[in-house]
Amino acid sequence: MSVIHTVAVANADFRPCVVIPCYNHGAAMPGVLARLAPFSLSCIIVDDGSEPATAQRLDRLAANHSGVTLVRLAKNSGKGQAVIAGFQAAAKAGFSHAIQLDADGQHRIEDIPRFVKEARLYPENLISGQPDYDDSVPKSRLYGRYVTHFWVWIETLSLSLKDSMCGFRVYPLASTLAVIERHPPGKRMDFDTEIMVRLYWSGVESRFLRTRVTYPPDGLSHFDALHDNLRISWMHTRLFFGMLPRIPALLSRRRKAAHWAKVPERKGLMGMRMMLRIYQILGRGAFTLLLYPVVAWMWLTGGPQRRASQLWLARVRQQAKIRQIELPEGLNSYRHFLRFGDAMLNKIAAWRGDIKWGRDINFAPGSREVLQPQAGCGKLILAAHLGDIEASRALAQVDAGLVINALVFTDHARRFRQIVEEIAPQAAVNLLPVTHIGPETAMMLQDKIDAGEWVAIVGDRIAVNTQRGGDRRVCWSQFMGAPAPFPQGPFILAAALRCPIVLMMVLREQGKLLIHAESFADPLILPRATRQQALQQAIDRYAERLEAYALRSPLDWFNFYDFWQLPKDLESGC
């Protein structure tokens, strides 16, 4: 893969214009130009072989607007060819960037200042709209986009291209025309997707801005359901086979593996929305069928995660042999990935309230009594990234009025919370995102406990606030045959709350989810004189019980990194 090395465009050389391909949209063009007028941008209209009535109207518009240039194609050649002609005219006129708009007025032209500002900050990037649709969007077009998104993610081996079909974009002209000259893209409705993928292959990143897209009731669409879908299918075939020899280069662009505490959460709102849409429309069966190829792709491209999974399963087999424990059949890293995908659906189902008691989830023997609520007394649930802890929300179906607050240790909780609010607004109110554990966190949770609510916290990951340093202290404890770092923060917080603490795991066993619960402390005491010793003992007990549960259901382990390693700059306190 050749990489385009473009020179950053200085502000003085940043000259954007608007390019509008037009085919028989003469009636809509006056309105589009009127909305463009406040921005004082030059506009290139490309008449893609329109009928005489539209051609005459465009002639009059060009004559009456000093900033409008009309380019005319002799015959209808397709949207993509019209856009390319506009780009070539813009570059010849000395413009550095082209703002692509549709002629039917469906784009929110008033967002142009936002797009121009982003392009000025990132002149070498493609700036693209990420549509927010209203009820006017045809459902067939909406669902069809998800298919294209899926294939684009495969063709780029990346989830960074959030929407490849929106026609509201700002193109860097030099790099775009260089790609078009070397690899001419589709000339019709396949243009928008193909040029974005080929720009990505060439090294041009895409940045996305949310923008409203409306389909006018009297709008004229030139999308040919048969021929354009065939063109798009053929385009994806070309791109897929074009991706294969580029795999090494594409994978080399992926961020090098780092410890979980140093790696930002992958941005996946579009993927989550796609998963939710499939689940809502087609049901769990269709979702599960689609899960196999999706997980296969993740397994093939996720080298660090795959190796971490294989390392985990090797440790599981070793410990099971030492303890003479019989493990479930079919333990391999691909099935490990599949189980994680299934857990993602369970997470969605839990947020939506679709996890039904008895049918999907139940108590393991002896656990119901441990989880019995007590009037006026909240509890702390000590959990882990093992199994489907979000399914514990189903407890509210058994004990009406029970409120479980989940403490989310991540600097990226805003994205996590955003998708939850979209899927199930009633669930989001119980997510408590924090960046580190401090006195303010303890005070907030103490209020929850005093009100009789429950708080859930995980004890197996290190929360790092990259801006403030965060609580990075760990204790090393024996886990799966080797010392592993565990965060001190959750256990110090648990002691500060002075409430009953329940160790809880939700594992998939016997075809359904089983809630395992046991009393951990009531309360956890860390005496001042022997504080570090008591803290170490509490973490050792947690690690011991975590190992026992993990050996019951090894594929439920969802820490896809080398759990036994710690960055050198993280201090150890035990």
Side-chain angles (χ1 to χ4, degrees):
M1 178 183 71
S2 60
V3 179
I4 296 176
H5 297 283
T6 57
V7 179
V9 182
N11 282 347
D13 298 326
F14 181 78
R15 294 192 61 213
C17 69
V18 176
V19 170
I20 304 177
C22 179
Y23 177 57
N24 293 336
H25 282 105
M29 281 304 303
V32 170
L33 292 179
R35 294 167 64 190
L36 274 172
F39 310 122
S40 302
L41 289 167
S42 297
C43 179
I44 298 174
I45 301 174
V46 183
D47 179 6
D48 186 22
S50 297
E51 296 174 352
T54 295
Q56 294 172 10
R57 179 169 286 185
L58 293 179
D59 285 335
R60 290 194 296 270
L61 288 172
N64 295 330
H65 292 76
S66 59
V68 173
T69 300
L70 181 62
V71 174
R72 177 158 284 140
L73 303 183
K75 63 178 182 178
N76 177 248
S77 302
K79 174 187 176 180
Q81 185 59 53
V83 171
I84 292 171
F87 288 173
Q88 292 169 339
K92 187 175 181 180
F95 293 103
S96 64
H97 290 72
I99 306 167
Q100 177 189 338
L101 286 173
D102 284 357
D104 57 6
Q106 68 173 318
H107 297 140
R108 192 173 189 274
I109 295 173
E110 292 72 21
D111 283 341
I112 281 181
R114 294 173 50 226
F115 280 67
V116 170
K117 179 180 178 181
E118 192 79 358
R120 192 182 295 274
L121 289 172
Y122 304 95
E124 297 180 22
N125 291 176
L126 170 63
I127 312 302
S128 178
Q130 185 178 356
D132 283 326
Y133 292 108
D134 59 18
D135 293 337
S136 66
V137 60
K139 299 305 181 185
S140 58
R141 297 285 294 275
L142 181 63
Y143 302 148
R145 300 179 76 89
Y146 292 114
V147 177
T148 284
H149 297 337
F150 168 76
W151 280 110
V152 165
W153 295 335
I154 291 178
E155 291 150 6
T156 58
L157 302 184
S158 169
L159 297 174
S160 65
L161 301 186
K162 301 175 184 177
D163 187 287
S164 63
M165 300 184 72
C166 182
F168 188 1
R169 296 174 176 175
V170 184
Y171 285 87
L173 284 172
S175 53
T176 301
L177 288 172
V179 167
I180 290 172
E181 182 178 357
R182 287 200 307 271
H183 301 287
K187 300 301 190 295
R188 294 189 178 271
M189 294 297 184
D190 46 357
F191 171 81
D192 290 330
T193 297
E194 184 166 0
I195 190 62
M196 179 176 277
V197 171
R198 291 195 178 277
L199 282 170
Y200 181 87
W201 286 354
S202 71
V204 176
E205 299 290 343
S206 294
R207 303 182 70 84
F208 294 85
L209 297 178
R210 306 293 306 191
T211 185
R212 192 184 70 216
V213 175
T214 302
Y215 283 74
D218 55 349
L220 176 63
S221 173
H222 297 301
F223 188 86
D224 187 316
L226 174 60
H227 294 96
D228 281 321
N229 278 320
L230 287 174
R231 290 187 187 97
I232 290 172
S233 297
W234 173 234
M235 170 199 69
H236 285 307
T237 301
R238 295 195 312 271
L239 292 177
F240 176 78
F241 285 102
M243 174 270 295
L244 295 179
R246 292 177 168 87
I247 287 177
L250 292 173
L251 291 179
S252 71
R253 292 176 63 175
R254 298 170 67 92
R255 183 173 41 213
K256 292 183 179 180
H259 189 274
W260 173 86
K262 291 285 190 173
V263 178
E265 184 182 33
R266 293 177 72 176
K267 298 180 180 180
L269 296 187
M270 181 60 69
M272 290 289 288
R273 291 190 186 97
M274 179 179 176
M275 291 166 58
L276 174 62
R277 185 68 63 182
I278 292 171
Y279 173 54
Q280 287 177 314
I281 296 172
L282 302 178
R284 185 165 192 136
F287 178 96
T288 302
L289 285 176
L290 288 174
L291 197 61
Y292 286 94
V294 172
V295 169
W297 170 67
M298 293 179 64
W299 185 84
L300 288 170
T301 60
Q305 293 80 17
R306 184 176 65 251
R307 288 188 291 273
S309 170
Q310 292 166 343
L311 172 63
W312 163 254
L313 293 176
R315 289 187 181 274
V316 165
R317 294 187 185 95
Q318 182 182 33
Q319 285 302 109
K321 183 177 181 181
I322 293 173
R323 295 187 176 202
Q324 297 183 340
I325 296 175
E326 184 176 352
L327 293 173
E329 296 182 358
L331 293 186
N332 59 66
S333 60
Y334 176 65
R335 290 197 65 203
H336 193 188
F337 276 52
L338 277 176
R339 175 65 186 100
F340 179 70
D342 180 68
M344 291 299 295
L345 177 57
N346 287 336
K347 183 176 297 197
I348 294 173
W351 291 339
R352 286 169 44 87
D354 293 343
I355 297 289
K356 300 302 180 184
W357 201 262
R359 183 193 67 185
D360 306 305
I361 189 169
N362 215 326
F363 290 114
S367 297
R368 178 68 184 96
E369 295 75 16
V370 177
L371 292 170
Q372 184 69 40
Q374 300 173 9
C377 179
K379 294 184 180 182
L380 186 141
I381 295 175
L382 188 57
H385 291 85
L386 178 73
D388 301 79
I389 189 61
E390 284 85 0
S392 63
R393 292 180 183 274
L395 280 171
Q397 300 174 29
V398 179
D399 297 294
L402 177 62
V403 177
I404 300 178
N405 302 279
L407 200 64
V408 183
F409 287 92
T410 172
D411 289 329
H412 328 90
R414 286 187 296 273
R415 290 201 300 271
F416 181 80
R417 189 164 186 166
Q418 179 182 341
I419 193 66
V420 175
E421 288 174 347
E422 292 177 8
I423 296 171
Q426 73 281 4
V429 297
N430 301 131
L431 287 181
L432 306 176
V434 297
T435 55
H436 72 293
I437 295 175
E440 65 279 6
T441 306
M443 293 173 63
M444 173 185 66
L445 298 183
Q446 190 66 65
D447 290 340
K448 300 288 185 183
I449 295 294
D450 292 343
E453 299 181 8
W454 292 23
V455 173
I457 184 174
V458 294
D460 60 337
R461 284 194 188 174
I462 304 159
V464 175
N465 183 341
T466 55
Q467 293 180 344
R468 297 175 55 188
D471 184 357
R472 302 183 174 189
R473 293 176 298 172
V474 301
C475 281
W476 292 83
S477 187
Q478 200 74 6
F479 179 69
M480 286 290 179
F486 289 86
Q488 295 183 19
F491 300 89
I492 295 174
L493 177 62
L497 294 177
R498 302 189 68 82
C499 67
I501 301 171
V502 173
L503 182 66
M504 187 169 80
M505 309 289 168
V506 184
L507 307 179
R508 174 162 290 281
E509 298 178 278
Q510 303 168 6
K512 66 171 57 177
L513 299 175
L514 291 181
I515 297 180
H516 296 265
E518 60 184 72
S519 178
F520 189 81
D522 187 12
L524 177 62
I525 304 296
L526 300 178
R528 183 182 299 272
T530 57
R531 186 174 186 269
Q532 285 302 116
Q533 180 182 356
L535 182 60
Q536 182 70 62
Q537 290 175 349
I539 292 177
D540 287 346
R541 183 181 170 209
Y542 173 82
E544 178 187 359
R545 298 305 300 145
L546 180 61
E547 178 174 320
Y549 284 115
L551 288 171
R552 286 185 70 113
S553 190
L555 298 183
D556 278 0
W557 178 256
F558 298 144
N559 287 309
F560 288 91
Y561 64 96
D562 190 348
F563 190 79
W564 292 262
Q565 296 297 320
L566 189 68
K568 294 181 180 179
D569 64 327
L570 295 188
E571 59 178 318
S572 175
C574 288

